[in-house]
Amino acid sequence: MAKGRGDAAAGALKIEWARAHMPVTAALRARFARSKPLKGVGVGMALHLEAKTAVLVLALRDAGARVRVAGCNPLSTDDDVARALVERHGVGAYGHRGEDTREYYAALDAVLDGKPKVVVDDGADLISILHTKRTDDLGRVVGANEETTTGIVRLRAMEKAGALKIPVIDVNNARMKHMFDNRYGTGQSVFDGIFAATNLLIAGKSVVVAGYGWCGRGIAMRADGLGARVTVVEVDPVKAVEAVMDGYEVKPMKDAVKEADFLITATGVKDVLRGEHLRGIKDGCVLANAGHFNVEVAPEMLRARAVRVSKARAAVDRYTLRDGRAVYLISDGRLVNLAAGQGHPVEIMDMSFAVQYLCAVRLWRERGALPPGVHPVPDAADEEVARAKLGALGVEVDRLTPDQERYIRSWQEGT
Ligand code: NAI
């Protein structure tokens, strides 16, 4: 467990602050704390191990679950929070910030040693291990939730190959998740990470955003708001048209990098910046990745082309190229908002984790009913979370009248 690292008192304060700003999760928690739908059920989690996740962990425990949790990224664990979970709440929390690959997988194994029946994953590493190295443990698992786009891409590939043996709920695809978490959450927190790592100004600079999906849209929107000149790099022609209509320049990477003061990747695909792009890249360009794995701007690719690698700031490495130009990589290309910043804003994770919470309870309640495969979050869950959020905001909305309901259901009535 995460004993010995971090400061439990500081971690407890962080958890308390997050909990106080997560009204949607709190409302569900109050309900499930009474009904205990997960009484005695083992829940194994691999999520970014920080304060908002701790609130979900404790909410699941209040619903009766026995929870073990590990980080889903070696650089995103908050040691204070992990220690507070262990010492103050008696939760099995595994891993520490900066762990190496062996330690990372040992932490995931420790979670699976707890014999979970429900899995909550972010990036699909736990699910992948259950299907490869720990198949004996798979039969016990009734299902899993997956939090992020990259995990879903992996799971869809498994499903297509006939290899996915459990039902997985695609939490990422809930509207109350990706429309807010990926867009507004990543949009804000990527800059939180870049500011903390570099202390540099964005206004008047050229910011290149690779990938104009949910995350990329949010990053571009916030860069624009900070006064940057925004260029988008895309491979999907529809998204590229959208970026043009939203007012951004769209260019191929080889041209975009020539002017780039910042390059931020958010594609979920490897080798987005390649050796050939370094030939034209602007001297001093700051490279940051928001995608799930550190493959979009691979540090090995930069190392292979650099004559020197040196520390520029605590979380920034300088790669000096043969002709003397340098590029700067934040947090080894790991997701910048978590590795260099504080992750998504609390209110954003409140909504994402409320969806996680509802889906974990559903997996257990409906165990055996869902076949293996990737399943959507039901609309009712999205609506429940949205209504709770509106309630917390004090915002009222209209409802269709019965006559309007009839009108949209009928095909005869046109006028
Ligand atoms: P998305 O599927 O909505 O968007 C990805 C976009 O990248 C697509 O428009 C695609 O056409 C484009 N793309 C793919 N390859 C490209 C290439 N070589 N060059 C340029 N564009 C390319 O995915 P979403 O939800 O935006 O997620 C992106 C990544 O961010 C995933 O790895 C996801 O897991 C991760 N993520 C990270 C978060 C964070 O906190 N940092 C939060 C949510 C998601």
Side-chain angles (χ1 to χ4, degrees):
M1 284 205 254
K3 280 209 175 101
R5 294 173 202 256
D7 171 350
L13 276 181
K14 290 177 191 174
I15 296 171
E16 214 24 67
W17 175 263
R19 189 184 349 220
H21 294 87
M22 295 176 72
V24 182
T25 309
L28 293 176
R29 177 183 174 142
R31 194 167 93 212
F32 293 147
R34 283 191 298 275
S35 57
K36 302 265 184 246
L38 296 173
K39 196 160 181 227
V41 179
V43 175
M45 305 169 67
L47 291 172
H48 299 291
L49 186 40
E50 40 86 59
K52 286 91 76 180
T53 299
V55 175
L56 174 63
V57 167
L58 297 176
L60 284 161
R61 209 174 58 170
D62 283 353
R66 292 181 295 102
V67 186
R68 286 191 181 198
V69 60
C72 65
N73 185 297
L75 279 187
S76 65
T77 296
D78 184 327
D79 292 333
D80 295 343
V81 168
R83 191 160 188 196
L85 276 177
V86 174
E87 287 187 13
R88 304 276 169 110
H89 300 283
V91 171
Y94 302 89
H96 60 88
R97 197 179 193 89
E99 62 201 0
D100 61 26
T101 308
R102 192 192 53 78
E103 292 168 323
Y104 173 73
Y105 284 104
L108 296 183
D109 270 332
V111 166
L112 296 178
D113 290 344
K115 313 223 173 298
K117 294 190 169 144
V118 171
V119 167
V120 177
D121 216 348
D122 185 339
D125 274 347
L126 277 181
I127 300 171
S128 163
I129 293 169
L130 280 166
H131 283 76
T132 49
K133 300 188 200 92
R134 299 193 53 154
T135 46
D136 287 353
D137 293 309
L138 189 59
R140 182 186 317 114
V141 175
V142 302
N145 289 343
E146 171 52 47
E147 167 86 3
T148 199
T149 314
T150 283
I152 291 299
V153 170
R154 289 176 87 184
L155 293 164
R156 292 249 180 245
M158 282 174 78
E159 189 180 33
K160 203 165 164 206
L164 185 60
K165 305 291 182 211
I166 55 172
V168 181
I169 300 187
D170 178 357
V171 170
N172 181 64
N173 207 37
R175 284 171 296 157
M176 289 306 291
K177 199 276 183 182
H178 68 258
M179 282 174 62
F180 303 95
D181 177 311
N182 302 31
R183 181 165 45 175
Y184 299 102
T186 314
Q188 175 170 321
S189 61
V190 154
F191 288 98
D192 172 33
I194 290 176
F195 295 153
T198 68
N199 196 24
L200 292 175
L201 183 71
I202 302 290
K205 303 273 184 67
S206 161
V207 172
V208 175
V209 180
Y212 201 63
W214 287 104
C215 293
R217 289 184 190 104
I219 296 166
M221 187 199 310
R222 291 294 169 250
D224 190 33
L226 288 163
R229 284 171 286 116
V230 179
T231 302
V232 167
V233 176
E234 248 300 341
V235 292
D236 177 335
V238 178
K239 302 270 181 63
V241 173
E242 187 185 0
V244 170
M245 298 279 171
D246 285 345
Y248 306 124
E249 290 244 32
V250 174
K251 290 183 181 171
M253 185 65 90
K254 71 174 176 24
D255 297 331
V257 291
K258 289 180 191 158
E259 302 267 295
D261 296 301
F262 295 88
L263 167 64
I264 306 167
T265 52
T267 70
V269 173
K270 69 173 191 170
D271 302 335
V272 178
L273 185 75
R274 295 185 294 278
E276 73 234 39
H277 302 132
L278 292 181
R279 276 184 226 126
I281 201 164
K282 184 172 175 184
D283 185 25
C285 181
V286 175
L287 308 171
N289 170 49
H292 191 78
F293 290 117
N294 67 336
V295 295
E296 308 206 12
V297 180
E300 312 80 63
M301 180 280 289
L302 293 175
R303 255 192 304 278
R305 279 158 186 86
V307 288
R308 191 153 45 89
V309 183
S310 51
K311 255 280 136 305
R313 273 173 73 89
V316 183
D317 288 329
R318 178 192 299 105
Y319 292 81
T320 307
L321 306 174
R322 279 184 201 99
D323 61 4
R325 284 172 307 138
V327 292
Y328 297 98
L329 180 65
I330 301 178
S331 295
D332 224 21
R334 295 203 182 268
L335 60 194
V336 63
N337 52 335
L338 281 139
Q342 301 179 70
H344 285 356
V346 179
E347 298 92 329
I348 290 287
M349 294 318 294
D350 184 25
M351 298 191 286
S352 300
F353 283 165
V355 178
Q356 282 282 11
Y357 199 16
L358 281 175
C359 292
V361 169
R362 174 178 176 228
L363 277 172
W364 182 246
R365 277 192 177 141
E366 297 180 16
R367 57 191 178 279
L370 285 176
V374 179
H375 298 272
V377 172
D379 282 347
D382 260 335
E383 278 172 28
E384 182 171 353
V385 172
R387 290 201 185 281
K389 179 66 186 170
L390 290 171
L393 291 170
V395 173
E396 276 186 66
V397 287
D398 285 343
R399 285 180 193 264
L400 290 168
T401 64
D403 205 32
Q404 287 171 327
E405 295 258 17
R406 256 194 314 279
Y407 177 79
I408 53 176
R409 273 203 307 271
S410 113
W411 55 270
Q412 293 108 327
E413 203 179 338
T415 53

